[in-house]
Amino acid sequence: MAPKRKREAAANGDVAEKSNAAKKVKAPPAKAAAPPKSTAFKLNGDAPVHIQLIAGSYDRILHGITVTIKTTEVTSEPPAEAESTDKKKKSKKSITTTPITTTEQSASFADTFLFNAHNSAIRCLAISPPSAPAPKQTQKVLLATGSTDERINIYNLSAHPPSSRSISDPDTQLLSSLAPRPILENNKNRELGTLLHHTGNITRLCFPNRSKLLSAAEDSTIGVTRTRDWALLHNFKCPIPKVFGRPSGDTAGVGGTPQGVNDFAVHPSNKIMISVSKGEKCMRLWNLETGKKSRVLNFERTMLNEAGEGKHSTGEARRIIWGSSSSKGGEDEFALAFNRDVVVFGMDCRPRCKVMGGINRTKVHVIKYVRLGDEEEDGALLAVSTEDGRVLFFDTAEENCQPATEGKTLATARLVGQLGGKEAGVTGRVKDFVVLPVEDEKGVRSWFVATAGSDGLVRVWRLGSGELTVEEKKEESTRQVGKLLGAYGTQNRITCLGGFVMIPRSDGAEESEYEFDEEDDDDEEDSYDE
């Protein structure tokens, strides 16, 4: 019997060694040593840049717009020389002048798609990163839209501009000639289906990576969906706030008090998430690895008062986003947007500064971080869109903030620049905006900014490389940044906006149906699952 036991033990040992070897092979190599990849689109000289914009509206319409930005050379004559003031010489000086050649950019717009996507107003949308490049295959982008009809629609978009064959198609040219606006349709865009796991209005959508979709709704839940088979992996249930008394004249029915998730933000490590809800003066931290609540952080009364949330205000945060400051090393932080101000918190969950203290307060709509480079020491600026048509860029580094005044506890972030506003002829609210970084052949970074408002206009701006630099001297007046390249009227009341820079089509690439890569199938071993 002993030799048999030895053989069994040896066999079990072989199996264990094989399983261990398999585990070692399956484990991915460490990615920390790899150099950081640039997130900006690489420009190819004076070649045109194609941008795909998607706008949702109150009118249930999903509108896709293709923006083509071209660079042209403009030749102008130098200014005329002044006449000679010497009395002895009465004739003008004859000086030979050479023309000055400069480059200018202009934007042209064309409709990609235009249809009624939902049964009611579209509240939010999200765009996934493009699929991994493969030889002789095109890349895809996922689009998710959420509405007040409790539905999430999923679409598959091509990451490349339309091919020359489709543009020269006679049917396409005939349709474009009959329409009042240019049409540049991509026949490879597809609708995949609808998700119905929420029982309330959809408030927020996010693709932390290509393999997961996170969605929040007014049913006080945050759902995690796997994009491989669109299976619901986990539901984070936020508690419904208790109502302490009802105001006079309130006609809401029983259980009709405000509830639901306003917004959430996932840390770049995909391990932590913060959510803010209606009727709550707090924020909740969630552990994405275990799928459970980590802690609850209540807002202090003094902080709410300095942020413009008085005694009779709701005190709830409307928006939240992760980012980093512009200080050396780029310390991680997150920002909370209230009704009329934004408060920046450090990683210790303590308020660091507010942003609207030094200027006239107005309603805040969207906040986003704009990275100044791919290196950690480059940092980022906080961009805020307002009710009066401005996009403000703030430096939230602790050493650059203005100290708190007497009787206050929060410092004020430094205003770096202003995009739009009355000075640029924009007076309507900016409901949403998109910042797309690009880099030229020398590695100099600039940005294309697309803004949209309730007036239905989509404006495309160009931000130069030096316009967002933090200067040492403090200017009394607000510095105007950005140059308007073009505007397009959608004739709809826009509520949300998304976009990406289209990838040039490689030679020999063939359009394929919607499919996932192997790396997406094995992504993170479904850490959000219970």
Side-chain angles (χ1 to χ4, degrees):
M1 297 295 293
K4 185 176 181 180
R5 290 179 180 176
K6 289 182 180 180
R7 287 196 299 269
E8 292 177 355
N12 294 335
D14 294 341
V15 173
E17 289 178 1
K18 290 181 180 179
S19 62
N20 292 335
K23 289 182 180 179
K24 291 180 180 179
V25 172
K26 187 177 181 180
K31 296 182 179 180
K37 295 182 179 180
S38 177
T39 57
F41 176 80
K42 298 294 184 180
L43 298 177
N44 186 13
D46 294 337
V49 180
H50 300 276
I51 299 176
Q52 178 67 67
L53 299 179
I54 302 99
S57 64
Y58 284 109
D59 310 301
R60 307 171 295 171
I61 293 177
L62 188 64
H63 195 170
I65 306 170
T66 300
V67 184
T68 303
I69 300 175
K70 296 181 179 180
T71 303
T72 57
E73 293 185 355
V74 179
T75 303
S76 60
E77 296 182 358
E81 295 288 341
E83 295 184 1
S84 177
T85 56
D86 191 0
K87 295 181 180 180
K88 297 181 179 179
K89 299 181 180 180
K90 297 183 180 180
S91 61
K92 298 180 181 179
K93 291 183 178 180
S94 59
I95 303 176
T96 59
T97 59
T98 57
I100 301 175
T101 303
T102 58
T103 58
E104 292 186 359
Q105 290 183 329
S106 60
S108 59
F109 302 84
D111 292 339
T112 308
F113 51 84
L114 179 65
F115 62 98
N116 289 336
H118 290 269
N119 296 326
S120 56
I122 301 176
R123 294 280 298 273
C124 55
L125 59 84
I127 299 175
S128 74
S131 59
K136 296 184 179 181
Q137 288 187 5
T138 58
Q139 295 176 257
K140 305 291 183 179
V141 170
L142 294 177
L143 169 65
T145 60
S147 171
T148 55
D149 59 2
E150 305 175 1
R151 295 171 177 262
I152 301 175
N153 290 348
I154 308 297
Y155 305 91
N156 185 30
L157 304 181
S158 175
H160 308 283
S163 60
S164 57
R165 182 186 305 174
S166 61
I167 296 175
S168 60
D169 184 43
D171 295 338
T172 303
Q173 293 181 356
L174 178 61
L175 181 61
S176 181
S177 62
L178 296 176
R181 295 180 293 189
I183 296 177
L184 193 60
E185 185 179 4
N186 195 328
N187 55 5
K188 298 303 178 181
N189 297 338
R190 295 285 187 270
E191 181 178 1
L192 300 181
T194 303
L195 303 179
L196 301 172
H197 55 262
H198 284 293
T199 59
N201 300 338
I202 311 299
T203 58
R204 181 78 164 89
L205 294 171
C206 175
F207 282 99
N209 49 57
R210 186 171 170 79
S211 64
K212 299 292 187 302
L213 169 64
L214 274 68
S215 58
E218 291 185 357
D219 57 0
S220 297
T221 62
I222 301 175
V224 181
T225 306
R226 183 172 53 201
T227 59
R228 181 179 59 190
D229 52 3
W230 300 109
L232 181 64
L233 300 180
H234 188 74
N235 240 354
F236 295 93
K237 297 181 179 179
C238 304
I240 300 176
K242 296 181 181 180
V243 181
F244 298 96
R246 295 170 65 93
S248 60
D250 188 5
T251 58
V254 178
T257 54
Q259 64 182 25
V261 180
N262 282 335
D263 197 5
F264 64 88
V266 180
H267 191 266
S269 64
N270 291 337
K271 296 181 179 180
I272 305 173
M273 178 178 67
I274 303 180
S275 66
V276 290
S277 302
K278 293 182 179 179
E280 290 188 335
K281 300 179 181 180
C282 65
M283 55 183 173
R284 301 181 182 275
L285 275 70
W286 305 87
N287 190 337
L288 295 181
E289 294 183 335
T290 61
K292 296 181 180 180
K293 181 178 64 176
S294 177
R295 59 188 299 191
V296 179
L297 301 175
N298 296 319
F299 300 143
E300 297 180 358
R301 185 70 261 176
T302 55
M303 186 271 291
L304 291 177
N305 289 335
E306 294 186 26
E309 297 290 325
K311 181 179 180 181
H312 300 288
S313 301
T314 59
E316 64 187 36
R318 311 299 176 92
R319 294 276 184 170
I320 183 171
I321 189 170
W322 285 96
S324 59
S325 65
S326 63
S327 59
K328 188 176 182 180
E331 299 179 359
D332 286 347
E333 63 185 24
F334 60 93
L336 288 174
F338 295 90
N339 190 26
R340 301 175 70 86
D341 208 337
V342 181
V343 179
V344 179
F345 289 75
M347 289 302 294
D348 55 357
C349 297
R350 294 182 179 179
R352 179 185 299 171
C353 64
K354 57 184 178 180
V355 302
M356 305 289 284
I359 57 178
N360 295 330
R361 279 181 175 172
T362 181
K363 186 176 180 179
V364 175
H365 288 284
V366 180
I367 56 175
K368 293 183 180 181
Y369 276 93
V370 180
R371 291 204 58 83
L372 302 179
D374 293 319
E375 301 295 337
E376 292 184 357
E377 55 267 12
D378 292 334
L381 298 180
L382 179 61
V384 182
S385 68
T386 62
E387 180 77 9
D388 54 1
R390 297 178 296 171
V391 178
L392 304 173
F393 297 91
F394 293 94
D395 178 18
T396 58
E398 191 171 1
E399 59 272 13
N400 295 332
C401 293
Q402 300 177 5
T405 58
E406 185 178 356
K408 303 293 183 180
T409 59
L410 293 180
T412 303
R414 180 180 174 186
L415 180 61
V416 177
Q418 169 185 313
L419 178 71
K422 294 182 179 179
E423 294 81 358
V426 183
T427 57
R429 67 183 68 168
V430 179
K431 290 289 291 185
D432 204 350
F433 66 96
V434 180
V435 181
L436 304 173
V438 294
E439 289 183 357
D440 60 9
E441 298 173 349
K442 298 180 180 179
V444 179
R445 174 167 294 199
S446 57
W447 300 267
F448 290 113
V449 183
T451 60
S454 300
D455 56 358
L457 286 178
V458 176
R459 297 177 175 89
V460 178
W461 311 74
R462 176 68 183 266
L463 278 174
S465 58
E467 293 188 90
L468 295 184
T469 55
V470 181
E471 299 178 358
E472 297 182 359
K473 297 181 179 180
K474 297 183 179 180
E475 300 179 358
E476 297 181 357
S477 59
T478 305
R479 183 176 61 167
Q480 193 75 21
V481 298
K483 180 181 179 181
L484 182 63
L485 301 182
Y488 186 72
T490 62
Q491 301 177 0
N492 298 313
R493 296 176 293 170
I494 298 176
T495 57
C496 51
L497 181 70
F500 60 93
V501 181
M502 289 185 168
I503 305 171
R505 188 185 303 270
S506 59
D507 296 336
E510 297 179 357
E511 294 286 355
S512 59
E513 295 297 329
Y514 175 73
E515 56 186 11
F516 288 93
D517 300 330
E518 295 180 358
E519 63 179 15
D520 295 336
D521 297 343
D522 301 332
D523 185 79
E524 300 179 8
E525 298 181 358
D526 298 336
S527 60
Y528 301 133
D529 201 358
E530 291 181 327

